[in-house]
Amino acid sequence: MAATTATEKLKVRDLTIRYGDTVALNGASLEVYENEIFGVIGPANSGKTSFLRAINRMDEMTSNMHVSGEVLFNGRDVSHWRNLYALRSRIGVVFPLPVGLPMSIYENVAFAPKLRGVRGAELDEIVERCLTRAALWDEVKDRLKSLGSLLSGGQQQRLTIARALSQEPELLLLDEFSIAVDPVTTMRIEDVLKELKEEMTIILVTNLVQQARRLADRTAFFLNGEVVEVGDTAELFTRNAQDQRTTDYVEGRFG
């Protein structure tokens, strides 16, 4: 995707995130474009998850997390949104460990559409579509009334993805979604993500370097709270990275 012709969906300017006296991310600046999968790679404690938390204003739920700088979503600073629910309905997020609502599989996915007033056959259609997109429908279609908490870890992760999709987000944040998912299902979800980018923008934080190589149009490399570089994924993975640290990381010399 060419940066010169793409439309910015997210622009981050001088983003700094602190937890008390500890700096998790220092002066990050980057752009994410519409209808792309934007990969974020880097070793542990490099600021990747904190980056996602700032986009979705999770700092308001963490007492010692302090954010400065700007996160512009569709040109508007996320800190200026008075209706936090409205913001989070447009920016969906899936974290590594699935957290299902204490209700049935069906109700987990139907929860957000119900808040929008959707009922009846339209609601059924949304639930089926979201579960299908999350590569889960065939496994649960005959037990939709069962508790979501009774699903396996990998199934619960996919249920969490289905629930995020039910909000019809413009931007989907995925943080290490593969941790609780087996390799076969991971590939199925990756295929789904390739299709979803036609409808939304996806930011994919992954500890699997090859996953970023398979999926991401562009990739950012984070290291020790610094955005080392951002570039076309193919360039970063073919010895054309601008920073030697990026090349060393993607080739497995550290991390």
Side-chain angles (χ1 to χ4, degrees):
M1 179 176 292
T4 55
T5 60
T7 302
E8 285 181 354
K9 177 57 90 176
L10 189 81
K11 186 178 185 68
V12 175
R13 295 173 176 164
D14 198 26
L15 179 64
T16 296
I17 303 171
R18 292 182 172 84
Y19 296 91
D21 295 329
T22 301
V23 178
L25 194 62
N26 188 23
S29 295
L30 55 82
E31 295 84 33
V32 179
Y33 303 113
E34 284 190 353
N35 302 109
E36 76 169 341
I37 298 179
F38 184 85
V40 181
I41 60 174
N45 300 315
S46 58
K48 305 187 301 296
T49 296
S50 293
F51 171 64
L52 295 188
R53 292 173 66 86
I55 295 172
N56 213 36
R57 281 179 56 181
M58 292 286 182
D59 55 299
E60 298 188 12
M61 303 169 61
T62 308
S63 60
N64 68 335
M65 181 179 176
H66 302 284
V67 176
S68 61
E70 292 182 314
V71 178
L72 305 175
F73 172 61
N74 290 334
R76 181 182 176 188
D77 196 318
V78 297
S79 67
H80 296 165
W81 285 66
R82 299 180 63 183
N83 187 334
L84 192 54
Y85 173 78
L87 175 68
R88 289 179 177 166
S89 69
R90 296 192 185 188
I91 304 177
V93 59
V94 177
F95 286 113
L97 298 178
V99 181
L101 299 176
M103 54 184 64
S104 71
I105 296 168
Y106 182 97
E107 292 297 333
N108 260 272
V109 184
F111 185 79
K114 276 187 173 182
L115 290 178
R116 300 197 301 268
V118 179
R119 296 290 187 274
E122 183 182 0
L123 185 62
D124 293 342
E125 181 182 340
I126 289 173
V127 170
E128 179 175 350
R129 182 173 69 248
C130 292
L131 287 170
T132 299
R133 285 175 162 180
L136 187 57
W137 173 253
D138 289 340
E139 298 171 34
V140 302
K141 61 184 178 182
D142 297 323
R143 48 177 173 145
L144 294 176
K145 294 183 180 179
S146 299
L147 285 173
S149 58
L150 297 180
L151 295 173
S152 69
Q155 288 174 325
Q156 287 190 54
Q157 182 67 294
R158 284 178 282 157
L159 180 61
T160 304
I161 293 174
R163 194 169 71 238
L165 294 178
S166 74
Q167 299 184 76
E168 301 179 355
E170 297 177 37
L171 176 61
L172 181 62
L173 313 177
L174 295 172
D175 188 9
E176 310 283 16
F177 79 86
S178 299
I179 286 179
V181 183
D182 64 87
V184 172
T185 303
T186 293
M187 297 304 293
R188 289 170 63 192
I189 296 176
E190 288 185 7
D191 288 339
V192 169
L193 296 179
K194 293 173 186 176
E195 296 176 2
L196 285 175
K197 81 167 188 172
E198 299 300 320
E199 306 170 22
M200 65 186 68
T201 301
I202 298 170
I203 298 180
L204 173 68
V205 166
T206 179
N207 64 344
L208 304 176
V209 172
Q210 292 307 313
Q211 185 173 75
R213 186 172 191 171
R214 289 191 299 269
L215 291 178
D217 298 289
R218 294 185 306 124
T219 298
F221 173 49
F222 285 30
L223 180 65
N224 297 327
E226 174 192 356
V227 180
V228 175
E229 68 177 290
V230 180
D232 179 86
T233 299
E235 294 291 314
L236 263 62
F237 282 83
T238 54
R239 295 180 178 271
N240 289 320
Q242 297 180 6
D243 193 296
Q244 183 62 39
R245 292 173 294 175
T246 306
T247 299
D248 289 344
Y249 181 75
V250 300
E251 294 186 353
R253 296 194 182 99
F254 71 95

